[in-house]
């Protein structure tokens, strides 16, 4: 257990109604408070209450970047948990299960706990999950007092059940201690010092990013999985002098936000796929009337109502192209929980400075995950503010939509004397008044589009436009976007350790694309893998299109790894796809050159060792 | 500053309405009401949807926003919440307000956000050249209803009463003086006010004659505090009463509510929130 | 065919609702009403929006369509117009019906299309885990309204009355027998019927106790033909009356209207139209 | 006047309120009834009534394919007409103007008519346009009786003004006859026999196509420029046993159509940009629940409210990609008035057979134009119907969404015993019941997408998937879509006459693209011009992307000619762009090969002759 890379994947499964998520959540927090790094992921059932749910948390000594693949430890609250999850366990996994759950003991190590019986004994049937929490505490050698304090804090709104839950916790701990005194096979050494970390969800990261950016208006309509961000803002905005409105539908949401922005506020709305579809018309208004607006879209699996609680990256095309006519906008793609915070801030900078709608694409997996994160620092060069007219401009012939080299014109808002203007959804002249002449229309189209070009220049300087890592100049690359970054990060690390050189890039602005960075990245590549969580490979298609000249010139091959199943990538899936890509390239090289190039040696070796590069889960190997 | 005149509020753009369109009268009445209240032009914002009537904001020299079809209430609500010191006027037509935008009225009423909503009701879609609207009477023949409309018309005031809008009135473009007076009161009303203006479309559905016959001031002594009586008067579709049907000034406005919420919310800062998230 | 039993209408999918959810009772009542009316299963179509309550069609063995949020009324209208012999039931929640979908109710009323619309009103968004809905009382605290809701609740029956819906009733999930009887009458009503069912969400907003206290049958002798009296009874929000508030059976349904239009339209054929376009 | 290609462009301009459109419309009809081929186009003003409007009609002896460029004849109803239009006239154009309009007589031929005075004399001030109509009748030597009959028929709903208008017509005719007895310079020889033609607008073509396809349900919300199609259906549907509903908004429109289709009807809705944006969510439902639906989108200039009465092709991306998640659909692009008829029929065939939404893209220019057209024949192989289950399937374990090789599953509707099923917006299993398991989701995504592939195979056989003309195998090509075809047709004809070999292709299905036909087309090209009426060149970008391999392999260059001004292309604009493309290629060739290839000879000659290939309007040269 000396290697700092050690991680353990704990999966907790059971009925939604019997406190499975609470158990997972509390265990995660206790582990984090004990100094471990954590990273969690959860699935919801289609049922409203009850139904099978799963909470996976990965504990590590160093920073953890994904929820991991196969589980090392399964906490089976019910029989269904075993049935659904046992195929996803590593060899010799530990199964902590309620005594009445039947677990065939062949390839796993069973740790039965009579949780239900203990709970009944305490006359607190609902306390089963706390009994198991106590047992987990012992197995991982977590401090019972730390655990009890945390339970107290988290359950402070349920004083009626607090004491009973605490009793259950203690009984679970003692029972496990007495029954399984030997060291638990998957326990991690707890660090001596607990470094400063916050425990942050992707959803909260966006809410806090909005606050950090000075957001002072939110209008939204509930929709899974965007609701948690909205609920955090409901809680915090008033203290920041902001206003929060739960509206009647998504058309109201975006139009109310546009109204508030017109009035001078920094306005936000958040939604998910179906809501984004309904907001398409409003996006066009913000684009046309040049009104700043930030729209967070937390993607879920579609089309239509689809799989509302499951993850996907299927709204890229809608975000890029959704809208009648040509309506410029920005599209950002944060790629980690912490990045959600910064990209939300940058979104406000772009919206306000460029007077345009900005879509920030998150997804269910990233929004609902929790991760230990260092405190975020200051955002780069921001948050930027609107361009306002000078007193001279206001005193003179103020033109709200003045034609300028940058496309940016000074903006006022109600209350500013001399700044009165008409914000127009019709095509308009420099004053904002309707103007349907052919020449004016084309000029105004150009003005609005020019703002994206102006931004492109500014963004070239920004740290925010892409993240690039791995072996600089390696012949093989991985190019993705958004929440899949953690898994790719782990893949590049693992490959590096195996002597395979791979480089990866994650653009953070998808509109405009950071062309310079990407062309530079592509310039050394022989092949790139584009993993993404949607059916048609939207990002891959876009990359292929945008860079076809560069790709073709250098004969760079694109390998798309698409997945549309409602769940995130396993590290293994991307790992295998990468090795397969390299192997495929080896064969091509072989065919073309009649000999095997040295760069492929390692891959071939790995391929031969494992057949199909299978099974390579975190702590298991 | 000297007392402003109605004309001070007139914009640089000449109204594109047909000569004789009822909406000209509404524009006049709004300008007069603003002048009467001596509201500074930069403290006024006029929002609209899409339609002939919704071209309104362009004809005033105030802040204005010409939004999209049916969304004027959320848009105007955003403005009022974003800039509480601004007098916000929402305007639009019967199609904009009662058809595509009809779902927003009850929610504006629930919030009682302080804005004045003027619906120029011509019982027709003027802008798109004469299709029936939700207030068109049964049997109206048009290109879009060659065998006559088969739907019953809505009763906007009765609906507003059922939503408990806090200020409800009806005007007629043929009576500019009375309309001006009602606009003044609506603009002064703290909360959401809805005014249906019978504003004929001379080009596609000229109802001046009809309204001259069937309109009549609300009965003397009608108590605008009495919702049930307002309902009864609104249910009368033979006689279209003009005047203030209902008014409740005692409810908090949405902005006042927010002040209360802001007072209630525990003080915090970003640093404090991060602190609370520490493990 | 032997007389069908309620269970004959039960679908293959087990309801996913929480134990105790008011919607179970609605399902029972619907199945019983269908059996009582001996409606063949293939001549029934149940349409819904999105929400816990909107999962309803999956639990019946009839035609069903689980549409998108708030659009159940246009969807169901399309079905009824497309297949006039089919008994069409529209179902959904208070969020689906009165929030995002609220704009469609007045227009369904104007058309008087022959469908039965059952709103399972729990005054909360169940499916999305407990946000306030348009019928949540003022001050309800939830994660989405941590300082209490700041909006007044809507009064759905009063609204329906103002739209002149031709059959209006209220039921309570605690009273399945009465509910069944009302569903039977609604299903028989020729035209658009709207039934608000007080159907508590035991998980996020349990109101069984409250409704047991405040509900009470409509006063004996209430005449459902008397709209004004129905309005007065609906305005009473202290006591929530149960029963048929209003009913007007004499209006033509939308399908009947179409028959009239089809009779009115001059006969023609494609060839004849082309002929008329010849120069 | 012997050449059959002769055409004359007549432009009529004046106040919207003073009967300008009526004048244009009647003149067009009278000319058509006199045996001329016609093609008209109109612009509307932003004003509701009044405001300057323009009606252009082009008369020809052979089929006319566009409204033409520079006008040969201007009818100036007011001074503004001269001011706005005089720059768009050919040399020696004839100006027929009201006597009080000031027309400098330098480069044009003036034909003043005291229309206002005559009208006043008749005590019928509104009859000014009829006076001018009469004069036009004389100038073109049209039969006064034919004209009077037509006026009688068109004005039959206005009996109160009929006689007065007829009097004005006659007075105008006589006045012109007496004042200008010499032959009119732009009169065309009237043919001896009047061939059978109908006078059809693009809007009506779609309404009639729907009727021909058996459409029996329409739900829609008024919106310019889609309203005329809706109004025609309002008139005709009842006689065809169909139902027509004007609904409260676009969400209602699409959902009501979906409901009717679910109930077994052939359902249609029509809208324009803002409405399409609002229908995006409903499109996803139709795609997910596999419900047939035809959606006509008559494009207008955006974004947002934009230029509601002006034309554009800016909704392509929204049509292809609008929707959260991956939601398959078809997108069709008719390219002429007559084609609007057939593509609407084919849209129903595709929708019904493949149980999917089909978007048909028209635009303001195509919808509002009138053209003389031969009677359309029978549609190819259709209209196709739904796949329905066999009695055995119904008696057995009927699976509405059964997995099949084609992706198509049999569909029932209420009323069919044994066919009961659940149409689901959630991801579902073969029965239609919600199923959120990862494997099922991916399988169902594949099933739905497979239908497009199945269709692609069938479409390869169809006449409908593209139109190709010009010099087969020529090195230069033009590739466009939709309403711009007429202008391109004229360009290829003109180039051909000048000895320049050009080939053109217009795909009729944009999703799926007719790849075979296009790849074949591209296989001989050195460069192609892609003209389109939008700002960002959506179609060109799509072509570039989709065929980048083919384009690159053969080093085919793409030249985009974008225009976003609210008005159609002038023939000249595309003509010049084509010559510029060829000239550019000549220079490249020159540079690469150090010599001039023979194929460029003509172009260079043309280029040298005219400098910038300017001014080449129809009848003028
Ligand atoms: C989403 C959308 N749908 C349809 C339209 C077309 N449209 C413009 S104005 C209008 C109706 C106008 O009627 P009303 O609101 O009564 O205004 P009026 O012109 O009568 O004053 C419609 C349907 C649109 N602009 N946007
Ligand atoms: C366009 C859209 N917006 C939001 C949602 C998310 N959503 C699903 S159900 C629901 C509300 C459900 O409330 P209600 O209709 O009262 O049904 P209940 O669950 O209470 O029975 C919401 C907002 C959605 N599915 N689609
Ligand atoms: S069309 Fe009617 S509503 Fe529009 S401006 Fe003219 S008169 Fe007024
Ligand atoms: S969450 Fe509420 S509404 Fe939904 S099923 Fe459970 S009890 Fe019923
Ligand atoms: Mg109107
Ligand atoms: Mg509810």
């Amino acid at each position: 257990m000396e290697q700092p890379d050690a991680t353990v994947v704990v999966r907790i499964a059971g009925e939604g109604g019997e406190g499975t998520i609470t158990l997972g959540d509390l265990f995660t927090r206790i582990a984090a408070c004990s100094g471990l790094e954590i990273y969690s992921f959860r699935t919801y059932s289609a049922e409203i209450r009850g139904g099978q749910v799963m909470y996976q948390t990965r504990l590590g000594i160093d920073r953890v970047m994904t929820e991991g693949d196969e589980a090392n430890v399964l906490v089976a609250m019910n029989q269904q948990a075993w049935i659904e999850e046992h195929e996803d366990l590593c060899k010799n996994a530990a199964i902590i299960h309620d005594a009445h759950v039947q677990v065939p003991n062949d390839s796993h190590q069973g740790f039965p706990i009579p949780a239900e019986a203990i709970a009944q004994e305490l006359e607190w049937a609902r306390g089963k999950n706390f009994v198991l929490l106590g047992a987990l505490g012992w197995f991982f050698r977590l401090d019972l007092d730390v655990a009890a304090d945390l339970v107290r804090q988290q359950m402070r709104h349920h004083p009626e059940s607090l004491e009973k839950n605490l009793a259950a916790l203690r009984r679970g701990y003692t029972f496990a201690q007495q029954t399984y005194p030997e060291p638990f096979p998957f326990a991690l050494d707890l660090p001596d010092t607990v470094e400063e970390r916050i425990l942050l969800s992707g959803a909260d990261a966006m809410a806090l990013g909005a606050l950090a950016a000075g957001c002072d208006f939110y209008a939204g309509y509930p929709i899974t999985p965007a609701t948690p961000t909205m609920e955090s803002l409901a809680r915090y905005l008033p203290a920041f002098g902001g206003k929060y409105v739960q509206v009647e539908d998504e058309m109201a949401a975006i139009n109310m936000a546009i109204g508030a922005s017109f009035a001078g506020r920094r306005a936000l709305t958040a939604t998910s796929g179906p809501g984004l579809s309904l907001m398409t018309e409003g996006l066009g208004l913000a684009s046309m009337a040049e009104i700043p607006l930030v729209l967070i879209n937390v993607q879920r699996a579609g089309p239509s109502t689809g799989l509302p609680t499951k993850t996907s990256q299927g709204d890229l095309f809608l975000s890029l192209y959704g809208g009648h006519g040509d309506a410029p906008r920005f599209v950002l793609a944060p790629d980690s929980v912490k990045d959600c915070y910064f990209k939300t801030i940058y979104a406000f900078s772009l919206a306000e400075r460029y007077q345009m709608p900005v879509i920030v694409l998150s997804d269910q997996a990233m929004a609902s995950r929790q991760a230990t994160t260092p405190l975020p620092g200051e955002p780069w060069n921001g948050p930027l503010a609107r361009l306002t007219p000078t007193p001279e401009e206001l005193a003179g012939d103020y033109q709200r939509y003045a034609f300028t080299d940058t496309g940016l014109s000074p903006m006022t808002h109600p209350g500013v004397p001399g700044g009165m203007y008409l914000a127009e959804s019709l095509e308009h002249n420099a004053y904002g008044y309707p103007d349907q002449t052919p020449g004016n229309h084309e000029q105004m189209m150009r003005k609005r589009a020019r703002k994206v070009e102006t931004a492109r220049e500014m963004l070239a300087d920004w740290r925010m436009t892409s993240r690039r890592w791995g072996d600089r100049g390696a012949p093989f690359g991985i190019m993705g976007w958004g929440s899949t970054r953690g898994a790719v990060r782990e893949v590049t690390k693992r490959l590096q350790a195996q002597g395979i050189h791979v480089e990866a890039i994650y653009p953070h602005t998808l509109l405009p694309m950071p062309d310079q960075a990407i062309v530079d990245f592509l310039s050394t590549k022989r092949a790139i893998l584009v993993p993404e969580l949607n059916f048609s490979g939207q990002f891959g298609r876009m990359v292929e299109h945008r860079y076809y000249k560069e790709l073709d010139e250098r004969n760079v091959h694109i390998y798309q790894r698409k997945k549309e199943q409602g769940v995130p990538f396993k590290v293994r899936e991307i790992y295998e796809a990468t090795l397969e890509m390299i192997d495929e390239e080896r064969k091509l090289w072989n065919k073309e050159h009649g000999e095997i190039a040295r760069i492929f040696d390692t891959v071939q070796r790995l391929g031969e060792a494992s057949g199909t590069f299978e099974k390579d889960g975190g702590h298991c190997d | 500053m000297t007392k402003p005149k109605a004309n001070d509020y007139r914009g640089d753009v000449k109204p594109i309405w047909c000569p004789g369109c009822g909406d000209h009268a509404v524009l006049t009445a709004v300008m007069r009401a603003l002048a009467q209240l001596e509201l500074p032009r930069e403290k006024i914002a006029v929002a609209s949807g899409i339609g002939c009537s919704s071209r309104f904001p362009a004809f005033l020299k105030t802040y204005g926003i010409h939004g999209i079809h049916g969304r004027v209430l959320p848009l105007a609500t955003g403005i009022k919440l974003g800039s509480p010191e601004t007098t916000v006027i929402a305007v639009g037509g019967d199609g904009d307000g009662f058809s595509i935008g009809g779902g927003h009225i009850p929610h504006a009423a629930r919030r009682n956000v302080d804005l004045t909503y003027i619906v120029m009701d011509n019982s027709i879609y003027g802008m798109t050249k004469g299709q029936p609207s939700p207030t068109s009477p049964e049997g109206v023949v048009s290109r879009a209803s060659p065998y006559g409309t088969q739907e019953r018309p809505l009763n906007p005031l009765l609906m507003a009463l059922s939503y408990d809008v806090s200020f409800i009135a009806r005007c007629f473009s043929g009576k500019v003086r009375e309309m001006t007076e009602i606009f003044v009161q609506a603009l002064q009303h703290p909360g959401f006010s809805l005014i249906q203006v019978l504003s004929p479309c001379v080009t596609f559905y000229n109802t001046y004659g009809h309204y001259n016959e069937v309109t009549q001031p609300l009965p003397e002594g009608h108590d605008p505090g009495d919702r049930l009586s307002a309902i009864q008067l609104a249910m009368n579709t033979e006689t279209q009463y003009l005047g203030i049907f209902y008014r409740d000034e005692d409810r908090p406005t949405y902005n006042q509510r927010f002040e209360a919420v802001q007072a209630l919310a525990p003080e915090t800062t970003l640093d404090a929130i991060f602190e609370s998230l520490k493990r």
Side-chain angles (χ1 to χ4, degrees), chain A, chain B:
Chain A
M1 294 289 157
E2 289 304 81
Q3 76 276 40
D5 255 24
T7 67
V8 174
V9 175
V10 180
R11 183 176 293 189
I12 299 159
E15 278 272 322
E18 54 185 21
T20 311
I21 298 293
T22 310
L23 167 51
D25 211 53
L26 280 168
F27 172 63
T28 302
R29 282 175 187 279
I30 296 165
C33 288
S34 308
L36 293 175
E37 300 282 335
I38 67 97
Y39 191 107
S40 73
F41 168 77
R42 58 179 85 178
T43 66
Y44 299 88
S45 73
E47 278 78 24
I48 287 100
R49 196 173 71 183
Q52 200 68 10
V53 298
M54 188 273 274
Y55 192 106
Q56 178 156 320
T57 190
R58 189 170 176 204
L59 316 174
I61 292 173
D62 262 7
R63 182 100 175 271
V64 184
M65 281 167 303
T66 77
E67 68 272 15
D69 293 0
E70 287 77 22
N72 308 105
V73 180
L74 172 67
V75 181
M77 307 265 292
N78 59 10
Q79 195 60 42
Q80 195 62 20
W82 168 256
I83 295 171
E84 288 188 8
E85 309 295 345
H86 76 274
E87 288 184 353
D88 239 10
L89 302 176
C90 77
K91 242 182 241 158
N92 293 320
I95 320 291
I96 300 165
H97 58 93
D98 200 295
H100 65 80
V101 176
Q102 299 298 317
V103 175
N105 243 353
D106 39 4
S107 63
H108 304 291
Q109 319 172 49
F111 295 85
I113 305 282
E116 202 164 304
I118 292 176
Q120 247 143 30
E121 212 176 285
L122 293 169
E123 298 189 329
W124 182 235
R126 275 169 53 197
K128 196 172 114 177
N129 54 341
F130 281 85
V131 176
L132 286 167
L133 180 63
L136 271 173
W138 164 251
F139 287 132
F140 283 91
R141 304 303 190 263
L142 307 174
D143 190 329
L144 189 56
D145 290 342
V146 170
D149 278 356
L150 235 140
V151 169
R152 249 179 234 113
Q153 194 207 314
Q154 291 285 310
M155 304 265 115
R156 66 188 180 280
H157 298 304
H158 306 276
E160 68 294 352
S161 50
L162 180 62
E163 282 314 316
K164 293 179 181 164
N165 283 333
L166 283 174
L169 175 84
R170 286 200 199 90
R171 283 289 299 272
Y173 189 92
T174 330
F175 178 87
Q177 188 175 31
Q178 285 163 356
T179 320
Y180 306 104
E182 64 279 6
F184 186 66
F186 294 101
L188 291 166
D189 284 351
L190 298 180
D192 300 331
T193 55
V194 177
E195 276 177 69
E196 187 180 76
R197 289 280 182 279
I198 55 172
L199 198 58
L200 192 63
S201 72
D204 274 352
M206 298 193 110
L208 299 181
L211 294 175
C215 166
D216 54 3
F217 189 84
Y218 181 92
Y221 187 66
I223 187 165
T224 306
T227 312
T229 298
M230 159 170 152
E231 290 175 342
S232 289
L233 285 166
R235 181 169 162 208
Y236 294 126
L237 259 184
F240 287 75
K243 281 172 188 164
Y244 156 90
V245 190
Q246 179 186 318
V247 293
E248 58 272 29
D249 62 22
E250 284 86 353
M251 276 77 70
I254 191 164
N255 282 282
M256 203 178 286
I258 288 171
S261 178
F262 170 79
R265 300 277 78 76
R266 293 172 88 93
L268 173 70
T269 186
T271 189
S272 184
L276 182 61
S277 281
L278 288 172
M279 289 185 185
T280 317
E281 198 201 7
L283 271 176
L285 170 61
S287 189
M288 182 60 141
E290 303 198 33
I291 296 178
L293 174 75
V294 177
L295 190 166
I296 291 174
N297 182 46
V298 188
Q299 296 164 99
R300 62 192 220 183
S304 203
T305 317
L307 298 86
T309 59
K310 311 281 179 181
T311 203
S312 172
Q313 297 183 302
D315 298 351
L316 177 59
F317 275 173
L318 179 61
S319 303
L320 296 172
Y321 306 124
H324 57 282
D326 287 296
R329 73 205 49 192
F330 296 105
V331 179
L332 306 188
D335 64 11
S336 72
V337 166
K338 196 169 107 188
D339 200 34
C340 283
Y341 175 78
F342 286 113
K343 288 303 163 302
T344 307
I345 300 176
Y346 294 144
F348 276 94
S349 283
L350 286 169
E352 296 285 320
R353 172 56 56 91
Y354 295 93
Q355 304 168 24
M356 247 201 254
V358 182
I359 300 176
V360 192
L361 286 174
S362 176
D363 59 33
Q364 183 274 331
M366 188 149 61
S368 71
R369 76 175 53 140
Q370 294 253 7
T372 39
T373 313
L375 270 178
E378 288 297 307
W380 183 87
N381 188 24
L384 299 180
R386 292 184 194 178
L387 191 69
T388 49
T390 60
E392 293 74 47
E393 282 173 318
L394 283 178
D397 179 38
Y398 170 59
Q399 300 189 342
R400 163 65 184 98
Y401 299 107
F403 293 103
T404 61
D405 288 348
T406 55
L408 302 179
S409 334
M411 182 172 181
T412 56
H413 58 76
V416 178
M420 284 91 72
Y421 77 99
L422 179 66
E424 249 301 347
S425 69
L426 288 167
E427 189 56 282
H428 43 265
N429 61 20
Y431 296 95
Y433 291 123
D435 183 339
Q436 317 237 10
T437 52
N440 176 72
H441 179 41
E442 204 156 70
Q443 237 187 317
M444 271 293 171
M445 290 297 273
R446 218 170 279 139
K447 170 195 192 298
R448 289 185 293 265
R450 199 178 310 134
K451 294 191 293 179
V452 180
E453 297 315 310
T454 305
R456 197 193 294 279
E457 278 165 39
M458 180 189 84
L459 287 168
D461 278 348
W462 279 30
R463 271 181 289 154
M464 61 169 282
T465 48
S466 67
R467 197 190 300 269
R468 187 169 168 180
W469 73 94
D471 292 303
R472 179 69 52 152
F476 299 108
I478 305 182
M479 189 162 166
W481 66 287
S483 71
T484 60
R485 209 251 313 180
V488 170
R489 213 34 213 274
E490 239 176 280
V491 169
T492 54
K493 232 171 144 185
R494 197 185 294 180
L495 288 172
Q496 232 164 359
Q498 291 168 332
I500 299 175
H501 303 291
V502 171
E503 190 182 8
I505 192 164
Y506 266 60
H508 286 171
T509 59
L510 303 186
L511 203 174
M513 279 287 273
D515 294 328
Q516 251 183 307
I518 294 195
V519 170
D520 188 66
F521 174 81
L522 290 175
S523 70
T524 60
K525 297 291 168 285
R526 180 178 167 84
I528 59 167
L529 179 78
V530 184
E532 67 188 302
L533 292 172
N534 60 52
F535 181 76
S536 65
Q538 302 179 4
F539 181 67
R541 285 165 70 186
M542 176 180 124
V543 166
E544 201 174 40
H545 175 202
R546 193 164 182 89
Y547 303 105
Y548 76 95
K549 288 214 181 81
E550 288 79 6
L551 291 167
D552 218 90
E553 215 160 80
R554 307 196 161 75
N555 199 19
V556 185
H557 300 154
I558 289 200
Y559 291 77
Q560 281 196 276
R561 176 65 174 91
K562 303 176 260 184
K563 178 176 178 180
E564 171 69 50
Q565 303 190 338
V567 291
F569 274 118
K570 287 187 190 303
V571 174
R572 173 161 48 77
E573 290 167 335
I574 296 179
Y575 176 72
E576 282 170 18
T578 312
L579 290 188
E580 272 158 27
M581 163 178 77
I582 303 179
D583 204 45
E584 195 59 40
E585 288 292 314
R586 176 179 65 79
K587 286 183 201 146
L588 281 175
W589 181 280
N590 210 344
K591 222 163 100 187
E592 284 168 26
H593 297 76
E595 50 155 325
I596 292 174
R598 274 214 42 225
I599 52 163
F600 297 112
D601 282 0
T602 325
V603 183
Q604 213 194 7
R605 196 163 21 79
L606 284 171
E608 276 157 9
S610 69
T612 57
F613 314 112
E614 241 174 59
K615 287 284 165 183
D616 190 41
H619 192 58
C620 285
D621 56 8
Chain B
M1 217 179 82
T2 59
K3 196 165 160 33
K5 286 190 230 37
N7 250 324
D8 294 346
Y9 296 88
R10 190 181 295 281
D12 301 331
V13 172
K14 189 177 149 256
I16 46 111
W17 294 313
C18 307
C21 174
D23 299 351
H24 290 288
V26 182
L27 182 62
T28 305
V30 164
M31 292 191 302
R32 287 188 189 161
L34 294 174
Q36 195 169 322
L37 292 167
E38 303 187 30
L39 292 171
R41 297 182 316 179
E42 72 270 14
K43 292 209 167 158
I44 303 165
V46 185
S48 68
I50 298 293
C52 291
S53 39
S54 291
R55 290 295 197 90
F56 201 97
F59 314 137
L60 287 170
K61 189 77 203 165
T62 62
Y63 280 93
I65 181 164
H66 184 209
I68 50 181
H69 195 35
R71 312 301 164 200
V72 61
L73 284 179
L75 191 65
T77 301
I79 301 172
K80 185 68 192 179
L81 296 182
S83 180
E85 326 72 44
T86 300
T87 297
V88 182
I89 306 174
V91 298
D94 42 328
D96 197 74
F98 305 140
S99 191
I100 191 169
H104 301 299
I105 306 180
H107 301 277
R110 294 178 61 212
R111 294 182 190 114
N112 198 34
V113 54
D114 187 8
L115 40 96
T116 304
Y117 180 31
I118 300 170
V119 185
M120 288 161 256
D121 186 352
N122 52 16
S123 297
I124 205 83
Y125 286 8
M127 185 57 113
T128 48
K129 304 201 185 294
Q131 297 78 26
S133 93
T135 56
S136 299
E138 262 180 80
V140 164
V141 172
S142 72
R143 275 169 176 278
S145 57
Y147 312 107
T149 47
Q150 303 300 320
E151 298 85 10
R152 292 157 69 107
L154 293 178
N155 183 331
L157 290 201
L158 188 59
M159 287 164 62
L161 282 157
S162 82
Y163 304 153
D164 212 1
V165 172
S166 62
F167 181 107
I168 300 171
R170 188 188 281 134
C171 307
F172 172 37
S173 284
K175 305 234 186 268
V176 182
R177 206 162 29 81
E178 292 82 344
M179 177 153 56
T180 306
E181 182 44 34
I182 286 180
F183 286 174
V184 167
Q185 302 215 24
L187 285 164
Q188 287 177 313
H189 172 73
F192 181 52
S193 51
L194 184 151
I195 302 125
Q196 179 195 24
V197 183
L198 306 174
S199 179
C201 168
V202 291
T203 300
F204 296 109
Y205 192 59
N206 193 340
T207 48
Y208 268 116
H210 173 70
Y211 286 137
N212 270 326
E213 258 170 44
V214 303
T215 57
Q216 143 177 341
L218 278 168
E220 293 255 354
H222 165 62
D223 171 12
D226 181 347
R227 193 159 156 231
L228 190 63
S229 133
I231 286 176
Q232 276 179 286
L233 291 163
M235 281 172 85
N236 187 340
T237 48
E238 309 260 292
T239 302
Q240 301 257 327
Y241 289 111
L242 304 177
I244 298 170
F245 281 67
Y246 182 69
R247 154 171 23 205
D248 175 359
E249 316 230 292
D250 297 333
R251 287 184 220 167
T253 69
Y254 211 41
N255 271 318
Q256 285 165 345
R257 299 266 205 174
F258 276 109
E259 278 166 33
V261 164
Q262 282 168 356
L264 214 64
E267 264 188 58
T268 189
T269 62
L270 204 57
D271 285 342
I273 298 174
F274 277 129
E275 195 56 42
S276 76
L277 292 173
K278 279 195 188 148
R279 62 182 175 191

